[in-house]
Amino acid sequence: MTDVTLNYPVWLRIEHWVNLLFITLLIRSGIEILASYPRLHRRNDSKPGSEWARFTTKTMPTDKLYDTLDEEESYSSIVALPGRKKLGMGRRWHFVSLFGWVLTGVAYYILLFATGQWHRYIPYSWSIFPEALDDAWTYLQFQLPPTLPDQPLDALQKLVYASVIFLLAPFQILTGAAQSPAVEARFPWYVKLFGGRQMARTLHGLGLLAFLAFIPVHLIMIGWWGWPELTSLMIFGHVTQLDAAIGVSLGIVAAIVVIHIAATVWSLRSPRQVQRALGAIIMRFRRFALKPLTSRQNYPRSKLSPEHRVNGKPPSCAAYQIMAVHNFADWRLEVGGLVENPMTFSLADLRALREPQTQRVLHNCIQGWSSIGEWGGVPLRSILELVRPLPGAHQICFLTMQNVDRDEPAAAEEGHGQYYEIVDIERAYYPQSLLAYEMNGEPLPIKHGAPLRVRFETQVGFKMAKWIERIEVISEYDGIGYGMGGWREDNVHYDISVGV
Amino acid sequence: MSALRRAPLGPSFRRPELIQLDTRERERVRALVRSRRMRCPACDGRRFEVGDTLYLGFLFVDTDLDEYMVALTCTNPRCPAPRTGVQLREHEFLEHQRPREKATGPAG
C-alpha cells in the first residue's frame, strides 16, 4: 500500500517515449552486430559447428581456408541499423544509443525513487507471485484481472515491468560489458561470472529476444486494457481528449520511425560523416574509461582452444609463398619512421633478442567470436627501446604483406590496397603488447599471420595486424590512407581504438 | 604473463605447414625443373637443391586445390638470392597424397 498517487508525471511520460527511441535503436543496431557473426556459442572457442543458434544459411567450404568475414550476413535495413553488412555503423549506433539509454535509465531510476513512483514496480510481499499466477490464468481465459489496490497495474504486470526495468535492462548492460575485450583483459574474472565470452554474448542475445517479446506483449496489454485511455495517460497524464492522445502518440511513433529512417539513410549514404560524428562521442568515453585498462590475462593451458578461429587471408603471392616454404629465412622486418635508430630484423634476429614472452589470452573478434590462444614473441617495447622513438612520435603503423584486393575478396568490395593498422604509441608499452612469432608453442601458423603478427590484448582482432613486414613510428595518422587510423577504419568505418 | 614453454624452437625448426619430400619426389622435382629450363631469378643459375613443399590449395585464395610450392635453393655459391621456388601440381611430383588437413598447419 502506498500513500503516493501512482499517476503519470510528466518526467515519466517523457522517459517512456525517449526510452522507446533508444531501445528500438539498440535493437536494430544489435541485430546489425549479430549479422556480422550470425551464430551463438556457449564455449569461448566458438568452434565451427558448435553453435547452438545460427541466423544464417551459409555453409563454409572444408577444402579452402575461410574466415569469419566470409560468414558475415547482409540483413535488410528493415530489421538492422543500418543493414547491408555495415558493422562499423551498427556498432556506432549501438554505443551512442547505449549512452542515451543509460542516461535515460539513470534519470528514470533517480526520479522513480525520489518521487515514490517506485511503488508501481517494487513488490511489497511474496504474495505477489501467487497473485501473478492467478492473473496469468485470468488472462488465459481472455478476462482482465483486477489491479492491485491503489495501483495502476495488476500483480502480473507489476512483476513483468519490474523484471524489465530492474533486471533485464541492467542484465543487458552487464552482459554487454562482458563482451568488451578491454574489460575482459583487465578483469578476466568478470567474464567468467557469465560462463565466458560466448555465454555473455548468448545471454545478451537472449536479453534482446526478451525485449523483442516484451514489446508486442506490452502493446497487446495496452490494447486490451484500453488503448485510448492508457495512451491518454501516457500523453497527457490523465484520461482526456482520447482522440488527440492517440493522434499525438502516433505522431511520436512516426517521429521515432523518421529518426530510424534518417539514421539508416545517413549511415548508408554518408558513413564517413557518421563515423566522425558518432565516433567523437564514443571515443571520449573509450579514452577515459577503457584505454587505461591493461591486460592481466593468463588462461591455463587447459583452456586453449583446440581450433583458434581465423580472420584475414594470407598474402596470395609467389614472393610470400617462397618465403614461407623456406621457413621465412628471407623475411625482414623494417622498423623506421620517427626513430633515432632505424633497424631491420630477420626472424632469427627477433628470436635472438630474448627468450620469448608468452601469454595465454582470450582473442576477441569485432564480429563477436572468440578463441583462446598462447602467443609467444618479443614485447613491442623491446623493439621500441632499440629503435628509440623521437619526440613527436605518437602512433605506430603496422604495414602488412596482405593486399586486400588480391587476398580478401569479401573485403575488397569495401576498399582496396595494402592492409595496415595504427595504434597509439603508449599502447606499445603495455605489458602484453607483443610481436608474436609463435602460437601454442609452435611457429606462428601462416593462417594466423606468419611470420609475425602483433598482439594488443585489450583490443579486438582487426587491430592486431598479421603478416607484418614494416613498422613505422609516426607523428599523426591523418595523412595515411583516408586518415582514419587503419585499413578497416578507412574502409569499413571501424574505430581506431576498439576496447569494446 | 608466463615464461612456460613446451620446448625451445631453434632456428632449424620446420614450420608445421611444410611437408618433407622423399628422395623420389625430390628427383621428380629436379627433373621437372630441368625440363622446364628453369633458371635462378637472381643469378641465372640452373642447378637447385630441392627442399620442402607447402600445400597452397587450402591456404591461399586464388590457388587451385592441387597446387604446391616447392622450395628450391640455387647452388651457385655467389648467388645473391639463392632461395626461390616452383609451383607444381600434386600429380606432377608427389608419390603419395599427404593428408591435407595436416598441410594446412596446426589446429589453432
Side-chain angles (χ1 to χ4, degrees):
Chain A
M1 209 67 61
T2 171
D3 54 359
V4 174
T5 305
L6 295 177
N7 55 8
Y8 291 80
V10 65
W11 63 264
L12 188 140
R13 286 177 267 145
I14 293 171
E15 291 257 2
H16 172 269
W17 296 109
V18 172
N19 182 59
L20 176 61
L21 170 65
F22 286 129
I23 200 75
T24 50
L25 287 172
L26 279 167
I27 288 171
R28 282 185 66 228
S29 56
I31 291 171
E32 179 69 51
I33 293 169
L34 180 66
S36 73
Y37 185 65
R39 298 162 196 273
L40 293 174
H41 294 266
R42 281 186 285 263
R43 290 170 53 89
N44 274 334
D45 57 13
S46 317
K47 184 181 172 189
S50 72
E51 65 269 16
W52 71 268
R54 55 186 297 172
F55 309 94
T56 174
T57 54
K58 282 185 179 178
T59 53
M60 294 295 120
T62 56
D63 55 1
K64 201 78 177 170
L65 179 67
Y66 69 88
D67 58 23
T68 44
L69 287 173
D70 298 319
E71 296 183 75
E72 192 172 6
E73 277 289 353
S74 175
Y75 286 175
S76 162
S77 297
I78 293 170
V79 295
L81 173 61
R84 304 186 201 167
K85 281 169 79 168
K86 303 287 183 201
L87 174 61
M89 293 293 98
R91 281 169 56 88
R92 277 191 161 71
W93 283 111
H94 203 66
F95 297 136
V96 165
S97 305
L98 175 66
F99 293 153
W101 192 56
V102 168
L103 288 176
T104 307
V106 168
Y108 188 74
Y109 280 9
I110 291 170
L111 289 167
L112 211 55
F113 286 97
T115 61
Q117 290 286 337
W118 59 271
H119 288 282
R120 70 171 62 233
Y121 301 127
I122 305 285
Y124 303 139
S125 78
W126 295 108
S127 67
I128 195 169
F129 290 99
E131 288 174 43
L133 275 178
D134 288 344
D135 290 352
W137 179 241
T138 307
Y139 279 119
L140 286 173
Q141 295 174 81
F142 298 101
Q143 291 175 353
L144 293 176
T147 59
L148 292 163
D150 298 327
Q151 296 186 48
L153 305 174
D154 62 52
L156 183 61
Q157 289 173 325
K158 185 167 182 169
L159 273 185
V160 170
Y161 285 119
S163 302
V164 170
I165 294 165
F166 297 112
L167 296 177
L168 183 56
F171 178 80
Q172 285 301 83
I173 293 165
L174 295 174
T175 51
Q179 298 174 70
S180 152
V183 173
E184 290 164 12
R186 175 61 184 79
F187 309 107
W189 56 267
Y190 179 72
V191 70
K192 286 178 192 162
L193 286 179
F194 297 96
R197 168 67 170 79
Q198 291 308 313
M199 270 310 290
R201 186 168 182 263
T202 282
L203 293 170
H204 201 66
L206 292 175
L208 167 70
L209 284 179
F211 269 115
L212 285 174
F214 169 77
I215 291 171
V217 171
H218 175 66
L219 293 175
I220 289 167
M221 283 287 137
I222 292 168
W224 202 350
W225 278 87
W227 189 281
E229 293 79 8
L230 289 178
T231 302
S232 181
L233 281 172
M234 201 47 90
I235 296 292
F236 300 122
H238 48 271
V239 179
T240 181
Q241 297 175 280
L242 300 185
D243 290 343
I246 288 178
V248 173
S249 70
L250 290 177
I252 294 171
V253 171
I256 289 172
V257 171
V258 168
I259 291 172
H260 273 266
I261 292 171
T264 305
V265 172
W266 188 28
S267 301
L268 293 176
R269 290 190 183 166
S270 308
R272 185 73 74 216
Q273 275 182 14
V274 177
Q275 183 182 23
R276 290 185 195 278
L278 302 192
I281 303 168
I282 297 164
M283 290 307 291
R284 280 196 187 92
F285 168 76
R286 287 187 183 163
R287 286 189 194 284
F288 166 75
L290 298 178
K291 197 174 176 188
L293 301 181
T294 56
S295 175
R296 298 188 180 185
Q297 302 173 86
N298 192 20
Y299 283 81
R301 181 160 281 136
S302 60
K303 296 288 183 187
L304 291 178
S305 300
E307 188 178 342
H308 198 293
R309 273 190 170 262
V310 173
N311 234 352
K313 295 195 181 75
S316 190
C317 62
Y320 177 84
Q321 291 157 357
I322 289 171
M323 274 199 294
V325 81
H326 285 284
N327 261 336
F328 292 102
D330 285 339
W331 171 84
R332 295 291 181 273
L333 172 70
E334 295 175 345
V335 186
L338 276 179
V339 297
E340 193 179 322
N341 181 36
M343 292 181 76
T344 300
F345 300 87
S346 68
L347 201 50
D349 293 335
L350 292 176
R351 287 181 175 278
L353 278 178
R354 50 163 286 169
E355 274 293 297
Q357 171 179 308
T358 60
Q359 54 208 41
R360 287 188 292 273
V361 292
L362 181 67
H363 176 101
N364 284 271
C365 176
I366 194 169
Q367 291 178 255
W369 58 266
S370 61
S371 293
I372 297 176
E374 181 188 81
W375 308 93
V378 58
L380 195 46
R381 66 175 180 278
S382 299
I383 300 296
L384 291 184
E385 282 162 9
L386 290 171
V387 299
R388 298 190 294 276
L390 291 166
H394 295 132
Q395 277 103 23
I396 304 180
C397 179
F398 297 87
L399 295 148
T400 78
M401 294 178 269
Q402 193 190 35
N403 180 309
V404 175
D405 303 79
R406 179 191 62 205
D407 304 324
E408 198 68 73
E413 296 168 10
E414 306 288 344
H416 310 282
Q418 182 182 20
Y419 191 88
Y420 75 99
E421 278 301 334
I422 292 169
V423 297
D424 290 341
I425 198 165
E426 57 260 45
R427 199 178 291 289
Y429 293 96
Y430 288 6
Q432 289 190 337
S433 295
L434 193 72
L435 286 173
Y437 50 71
E438 289 179 13
M439 181 183 182
N440 295 346
E442 294 197 316
L444 182 65
I446 288 171
K447 62 185 175 184
H448 286 290
L452 194 73
R453 67 173 296 168
V454 68
R455 298 291 311 172
F456 297 114
E457 306 303 353
T458 59
Q459 299 287 287
V460 296
F462 80 87
K463 294 302 292 184
M464 306 185 214
K466 308 178 186 103
W467 310 289
I468 295 172
E469 62 177 359
R470 180 169 173 81
I471 297 174
E472 188 98 8
V473 178
I474 59 175
S475 57
E476 292 299 337
Y477 57 83
D478 308 36
I480 300 176
Y482 296 134
M484 300 307 293
W487 192 94
R488 296 212 182 276
E489 292 88 332
D490 283 347
N491 296 287
V492 288
H493 312 104
Y494 291 174
D495 304 314
I496 185 170
S497 178
V498 273
V500 66
Chain B
M1 237 166 300
S2 164
L4 289 174
R5 303 188 64 215
R6 285 174 188 157
L9 293 171
S12 59
F13 66 86
R14 171 179 279 109
R15 295 193 58 75
E17 295 99 338
L18 299 187
I19 303 164
Q20 201 167 6
L21 299 179
D22 64 26
T23 309
R24 277 179 60 87
E25 289 166 333
R26 287 174 198 274
E27 191 45 55
R28 288 184 73 179
V29 173
R30 262 191 288 272
L32 277 165
V33 167
R34 276 197 301 272
S35 70
R36 292 181 184 182
R37 298 174 184 274
M38 194 175 157
R39 289 172 178 269
C40 171
C43 72
D44 220 25
R46 288 186 175 187
R47 299 186 62 156
F48 300 94
E49 281 183 6
V50 179
D52 293 333
T53 188
L54 170 68
Y55 176 50
L56 304 179
F58 178 82
L59 285 170
F60 297 97
V61 70
D62 61 352
T63 52
D64 292 335
L65 289 178
D66 62 345
E67 280 188 89
Y68 287 75
M69 177 65 74
V70 181
L72 299 176
T73 305
C74 175
T75 56
N76 175 3
R78 289 186 297 280
C79 179
R83 282 179 282 269
T84 184
V86 58
Q87 208 164 318
L88 296 175
R89 303 274 176 185
E90 184 174 278
H91 69 88
E92 291 179 300
F93 72 108
L94 283 183
E95 290 287 314
H96 51 275
Q97 195 174 32
R98 306 300 206 279
R100 284 178 172 176
E101 64 274 22
K102 193 180 172 188
T104 64

